[in-house]
Amino acid sequence: MSNKISLIISREYFTRVRKKSFIIMSILGPLLIATIYIVPIWLTQTGTEDKIIAIKDESGLFAGKFKDDDKTFFIDIDEKNCDDAKISFLMNDSLSALLCIPAINIDNPQGIRLYSRQGEGVSAMLKSMLTSIIQQEIEKLRWQKIGVNQKVINRVNANVSVDLLNISDDGEQDMSVVASTIIGMLGGLLVYFFTFLYGAQVMRGVIEEKTTRIVEVIISSVKPFQLMMGKIIGIAAVGFTQLMIWVLLGLIVISVSSLVLGIDYSEINGTANSGMVQQAGSEVVDQAKEMPQNEMIKAISTINFPLILGAFIFYFLFGYLLYAALFGAIGAAVDSETDTQQFMLPVTVPLIISIAVSGIIVSEPNGAIAMWLSFIPLTSPVIMMIRLPFIGANWQLFVSMAFLVLGFIIATWLAGRIYRVGILMYGKKASFKELIRWMFYQ
Amino acid sequence: MEEIVKVENVVKKYDKHLALNDVSLSIPKGSIYGLLGPNGAGKTSLIRIITRITVADQGKVYFNNELLAPQHTSRMGYLPEERGLYRKMKVGEQLMYLSRLKGLSKHEVNRRLKYWVEKFEIKTWMHKQVEELSKGMQQKIQFIATVLHEPELLILDEPFSGFDPVNANVIKKEILRLKNKGCSVIFSTHRMESVEELCDNIALINNSKKVIEGTKEEIKASFSTNTFTVLTNKAIEPNGLGIEVIESAQAGNYVKNWIKSTDKNLNALIAGLVQDYEIHEVKEHIPSMDEIFIKMVGTKEEEKINE
């Protein structure tokens, strides 16, 4: 008997895995994800490809203050004044921008201009970097003017970062809301996506067997419940395979792209926080530059990945199993896919609600809504994945898991009973009342 | 007489509808058993109980003198009336899958397939998807799937529907070949000409009940109407002969008389006629299965209307 289930599982698995649509999805999926991930970084970095900035400093206050880095080079332009500099900037295509600093009064610095070529522009990052260098220099000059030297400034400069800590009975733990949100939403969305995608495949598979009438031949060999479970498990394996391919291909694409395109992924955090960086004094800029990145890494490292991963596999699996059983029952109750709507709605609403309230869950991961929705088996797979990075492993997780397993057992039992009657019913559009009657048929 | 299937007092209810009402049948081993009846009579319900797709509410079913159990289904082959295969699966894989569900090993399936591939000339089709096949071709594939595991009991629901006469004949020959190899066949159909041709035994089900059961000859004899067509030189007059003349009509040089005899003795009838008439031909009118079917189902329908 178990041999027959494995036959069913392998048929369900291999017919789907060999389909063109599966192969296309497997390749396009990670490409899509990688694109979403890579393109913004690539774009910000192409914006910082080697740039030569011409400087005409009429004030003479900033000599040597603009320091080259590996992408940006500064040259002093050898012209009388800004107007001449503009002409030579226009004639020299290799120059990306021209910074004109007139002879300014440090108490009232006016007329500083950054010129770019029409159609090219300069990045907001470059502008804010130049602004901040000029600002720091002027501030330094002002300090000196009122008689405060650099040593004092360095002593006064406060470099503050606020650490987020989570207090529980076990003690304190560093947390990052941002990291938790990202990881929670990612887990929740993946569970949602796969449950929907593959749950619907179970439904379609059942409808196919019913409409082609092959189901009668099959269940003269195996029990309806075996057929249903074989299908559900087979399709679950397809989902896992797809996920694995995505993770693997995604990693390959990302690592290849970082080699080929020279994208340094560790830079995302640095660039994202550049605004903050420039606030610090020039002497501590280098030190500060490291800061947010470290913080991010620190925050991510505080997230309990084994727990998240374990919980993800659990919720991914049982969430899918629960919904797949319900989708299977829907498939058995109808004659064609167009008849599914009336039954689909009550099944999909909890899933959609889970995503819809994700904002509330993230902002109040310990709120009443979050807690109750993570106990209800129909919403817990998505909700708990969103909450988990915030709350960690506590009693609620175990209650939620226990309820989900219980929900899965009940749903499968009910679905099995609807399925058993439904697959042999033709030409009759079932109502909810009838489905309930089927459940209690002998 | 040994039975492959014995059905005892089976009752099956769906909701408010009584599908089978106390039906008992015995299906002899090695015969072709015609299960007849109009649409909705309960044939499919009965077949589904025998194949264990559904369970009877009351009554018992025996397979080879054992109470019907799950392991028996692998010794049956069932071809449902509504045919269907996985449309997106290759023919070869499909046959492999269905046969393995019946418990055959891969090796065994490949070995047995050779015969059918040759017989039905489907070699070029094995790697095609089912949806690329014509309907008749799909029917052939499904027939192979039904018989490949060499079942002891073959249940065929309208096996000839959808076949052209040539292919129907091929299938018919295969059914007879399987019967000669010892396979028992339950054959559910409306098409009486194939019943006449193939069935040894017959049961008629109407309105959830068994109406008659027996060998084809027995049933025909019991429906004998004692009517004869007699070709004579002149129209027969019923006077004193103990017959009733239904109709006389000129047929070429002769007169064709439809007569009904009150007693069943054909010799006495001929002896009575021979004195006054020149007899050219006498033929007893044996009812066809078609007539029996219409008569049984029709009277029931009339009774239902009269009620």
Side-chain angles (χ1 to χ4, degrees):
Chain A
M1 274 297 162
S2 64
N3 180 36
K4 286 184 181 174
I5 286 205
S6 59
L7 271 173
I8 295 169
I9 293 173
S10 69
R11 191 203 84 86
E12 297 293 340
Y13 181 78
F14 286 109
T15 51
R16 283 187 173 74
V17 168
R18 280 184 308 199
K19 262 190 200 162
K20 277 196 198 88
S21 59
F22 178 86
I23 296 164
I24 291 169
M25 269 291 273
S26 299
I27 295 167
L28 281 188
L31 273 183
L32 214 69
I33 291 172
T35 310
I36 291 167
Y37 193 48
I38 292 167
V39 165
I41 301 166
W42 185 67
L43 281 180
T44 57
Q45 291 190 350
T46 48
T48 61
E49 73 191 6
D50 286 8
K51 271 199 169 123
I52 303 169
I53 315 287
I55 294 171
K56 179 65 206 159
D57 178 13
E58 290 181 11
S59 70
L61 295 172
F62 303 96
K65 298 297 176 194
F66 296 102
K67 293 196 176 88
D68 297 348
D69 64 21
D70 49 350
K71 298 260 179 196
T72 319
F73 303 95
F74 297 97
I75 54 160
D76 286 319
I77 203 158
D78 199 17
E79 297 290 346
K80 282 208 304 286
N81 55 34
C82 271
D83 288 336
D84 288 352
K86 274 190 264 180
I87 293 161
S88 82
F89 168 64
L90 276 174
M91 294 198 311
N92 189 347
D93 281 346
S94 63
L95 300 173
S96 310
L98 168 68
L99 178 68
C100 271
I101 307 169
I104 49 164
N105 174 0
I106 61 163
D107 292 322
N108 184 22
Q110 293 287 335
I112 300 170
R113 289 201 167 82
L114 182 63
Y115 296 98
S116 70
R117 245 172 269 279
Q118 179 133 32
E120 281 180 22
V122 291
S123 68
M125 252 176 65
L126 178 69
K127 188 184 167 229
S128 81
M129 186 184 81
L130 294 174
T131 310
S132 118
I133 292 172
I134 295 166
Q135 202 173 312
Q136 280 162 27
E137 248 350 274
I138 291 172
E139 279 170 10
K140 213 153 105 187
L141 290 169
R142 285 182 182 172
W143 284 118
Q144 279 167 5
K145 203 175 162 192
I146 56 171
V148 180
N149 72 17
Q150 188 60 45
K151 274 184 185 162
V152 178
I153 296 168
N154 285 354
R155 278 180 62 193
V156 171
N157 255 332
N159 188 16
V160 178
S161 81
V162 177
D163 286 340
L164 253 168
L165 300 169
N166 229 21
I167 300 179
S168 72
D169 294 340
D170 306 330
E172 296 180 359
Q173 221 185 354
D174 279 71
M175 286 302 275
S176 161
V177 177
V178 179
S180 296
T181 306
I182 291 170
I183 287 166
M185 288 300 290
L186 191 72
L189 275 173
L190 272 177
V191 168
Y192 169 83
F193 179 68
F194 272 86
T195 304
F196 234 124
L197 196 70
Y198 289 94
Q201 282 209 20
V202 171
M203 186 180 78
R204 248 176 264 129
V206 172
I207 293 173
E208 187 207 353
E209 279 173 353
K210 196 179 162 178
T211 52
T212 61
R213 315 277 170 141
I214 196 162
V215 72
E216 266 187 77
V217 175
I218 308 279
I219 62 171
S220 68
S221 303
V222 299
K223 285 198 190 115
F225 190 73
Q226 291 176 311
L227 177 59
M228 187 182 90
M229 286 317 287
K231 184 176 287 294
I232 289 175
I233 295 167
I235 293 174
V238 178
F240 257 113
T241 308
Q242 181 116 76
L243 186 68
M244 287 303 123
I245 292 174
W246 283 12
V247 168
L248 223 73
L249 276 185
L251 287 177
I252 291 171
V253 168
I254 286 169
S255 47
V256 166
S257 69
S258 61
L259 282 176
V260 174
L261 296 174
I263 295 172
D264 181 2
Y265 289 95
S266 61
E267 270 184 24
I268 16 166
N269 303 315
T271 51
N273 290 292
S274 61
M276 252 193 290
V277 173
Q278 308 297 343
Q279 299 300 319
S282 61
E283 255 72 10
V284 289
V285 161
D286 288 341
Q287 189 200 337
K289 218 169 193 166
E290 304 296 319
M291 273 294 303
Q293 198 176 322
N294 282 343
E295 200 173 81
M296 199 65 187
I297 289 164
K298 213 170 93 194
I300 289 171
S301 68
T302 59
I303 287 173
N304 189 343
F305 278 104
L307 173 75
I308 302 274
L309 212 65
F312 176 74
I313 290 169
F314 180 88
Y315 283 106
F316 179 90
L317 191 67
F318 279 92
Y320 159 81
L321 287 175
L322 171 77
Y323 273 97
L326 296 178
F327 278 119
I330 294 174
V334 298
D335 270 345
S336 71
E337 225 175 309
T338 46
D339 292 341
T340 57
Q341 272 116 348
Q342 60 159 336
F343 299 117
M344 280 288 272
L345 196 68
V347 174
T348 51
V349 157
L351 262 184
I352 293 163
I353 284 179
S354 309
I355 290 298
V357 301
S358 61
I360 302 172
I361 307 299
V362 167
S363 63
E364 275 182 76
N366 282 307
I369 295 176
M371 188 179 85
W372 288 109
L373 286 182
S374 60
F375 289 161
I376 300 168
L378 285 172
T379 51
S380 67
V382 172
I383 298 289
M384 207 58 187
M385 282 319 297
I386 300 175
R387 279 184 83 197
L388 200 59
F390 295 94
I391 65 165
N394 67 8
W395 64 273
Q396 289 186 14
L397 176 65
F398 299 109
V399 171
S400 161
M401 282 179 160
F403 278 3
L404 181 58
V405 172
L406 195 71
F408 154 70
I409 291 167
I410 294 170
T412 309
W413 184 79
L414 289 178
R417 299 187 72 84
I418 291 175
Y419 183 84
R420 181 189 60 137
V421 180
I423 45 170
L424 296 172
M425 290 272 183
Y426 295 110
K428 206 165 98 179
K429 214 173 159 187
S431 64
F432 280 105
K433 219 171 108 192
E434 257 166 308
L435 291 196
I436 291 165
R437 240 197 343 259
W438 292 358
M439 290 177 195
F440 302 106
Y441 257 178
Q442 275 318 298
Chain B
M1 181 180 69
E2 223 181 322
E3 288 128 354
I4 182 96
V5 171
K6 200 171 158 79
V7 176
E8 277 182 6
N9 310 102
V10 161
V11 176
K12 178 74 188 175
K13 245 186 203 167
Y14 291 110
D15 239 342
K16 286 158 200 149
H17 171 65
L18 190 61
L20 291 170
N21 186 3
D22 198 27
V23 171
S24 299
L25 297 173
S26 33
I27 297 162
K29 219 175 237 184
S31 72
I32 298 182
Y33 188 96
L35 193 60
L36 317 179
N39 291 323
K43 285 175 294 172
T44 305
S45 296
L46 185 64
I47 287 173
R48 283 180 177 176
I49 287 168
I50 296 170
T51 51
R52 281 188 57 92
I53 290 173
T54 50
V55 185
D57 298 332
Q58 282 171 47
K60 282 174 181 152
V61 180
Y62 296 91
F63 183 82
N64 265 333
N65 295 321
E66 292 168 39
L67 204 60
L68 190 64
Q71 71 270 18
H72 292 139
T73 55
S74 61
R75 288 149 71 186
M76 301 178 191
Y78 173 37
L79 184 73
E81 181 179 1
E82 298 277 358
R83 308 296 151 68
L85 295 164
Y86 289 107
R87 298 171 50 75
K88 301 248 180 224
M89 220 174 158
K90 284 179 186 155
V91 170
E93 288 171 359
Q94 188 128 213
L95 288 170
M96 178 63 76
Y97 176 61
L98 294 173
S99 304
R100 290 198 68 199
L101 280 181
K102 287 286 182 192
L104 288 190
S105 69
K106 240 183 204 171
H107 175 74
E108 197 57 33
V109 176
N110 284 328
R111 194 182 66 79
R112 293 186 192 189
L113 259 180
K114 273 188 198 141
Y115 170 84
W116 294 101
V117 166
E118 215 167 286
K119 186 92 201 168
F120 284 1
E121 297 162 354
I122 53 166
K123 191 161 183 159
T124 50
W125 296 96
M126 293 301 274
H127 294 288
K128 295 224 161 125
Q129 291 202 331
V130 169
E131 61 183 354
E132 295 172 56
L133 270 57
S134 71
K135 198 150 184 234
M137 200 49 121
Q138 291 186 21
Q139 302 261 55
K140 274 187 183 173
I141 303 299
Q142 194 154 16
F143 183 81
I144 298 172
T146 312
V147 299
L148 196 71
H149 62 292
E150 293 174 5
E152 289 168 53
L153 175 64
L154 198 54
I155 302 171
L156 307 172
D157 203 344
E158 295 291 357
F160 304 121
S161 72
F163 278 118
D164 58 66
V166 176
N167 279 314
N169 210 39
V170 173
I171 298 290
K172 200 178 289 167
K173 276 186 188 156
E174 281 309 316
I175 295 171
L176 287 170
R177 189 187 66 92
L178 288 164
K179 181 201 159 187
N180 291 335
K181 278 179 82 181
C183 176
S184 312
V185 183
I186 297 178
F187 180 24
S188 164
T189 186
H190 303 116
R191 286 173 49 169
M192 293 304 149
E193 72 274 14
S194 49
V195 174
E196 301 267 11
E197 216 178 326
L198 290 171
C199 294
D200 308 306
N201 294 268
I202 287 156
L204 178 67
I205 293 181
N206 192 25
N207 284 327
S208 320
K209 277 186 172 169
K210 180 180 82 183
V211 186
I212 34 167
E213 185 185 17
T215 64
K216 194 163 60 185
E217 291 71 27
E218 281 167 8
I219 287 174
K220 285 199 165 187
S222 74
F223 276 82
S224 162
T225 51
N226 288 324
T227 49
F228 304 87
T229 40
V230 186
L231 276 185
T232 50
N233 57 338
K234 55 181 180 177
I236 295 171
E237 299 293 328
N239 308 344
L241 285 170
I243 57 164
E244 188 190 320
V245 178
I246 300 164
E247 206 189 329
S248 295
Q250 195 70 37
N253 295 330
Y254 302 99
V255 176
K256 196 173 191 179
N257 305 275
W258 282 269
I259 60 170
K260 193 175 168 102
S261 155
T262 39
D263 75 81
K264 287 186 179 180
N265 193 335
L266 183 58
N267 279 6
L269 174 75
I270 293 170
L273 286 173
V274 89
Q275 294 167 10
D276 299 316
Y277 306 95
E278 196 179 293
I279 300 176
H280 193 74
E281 187 187 294
V282 180
K283 212 160 136 192
E284 187 177 1
H285 181 75
I286 298 165
S288 69
M289 283 315 299
D290 218 16
E291 287 168 305
I292 294 172
F293 182 89
I294 291 167
K295 195 172 178 198
M296 290 306 292
V297 174
T299 47
K300 292 280 165 185
E301 291 298 314
E302 277 162 29
E303 273 170 35
K304 225 162 68 180
I305 293 162
N306 291 339
E307 275 169 25

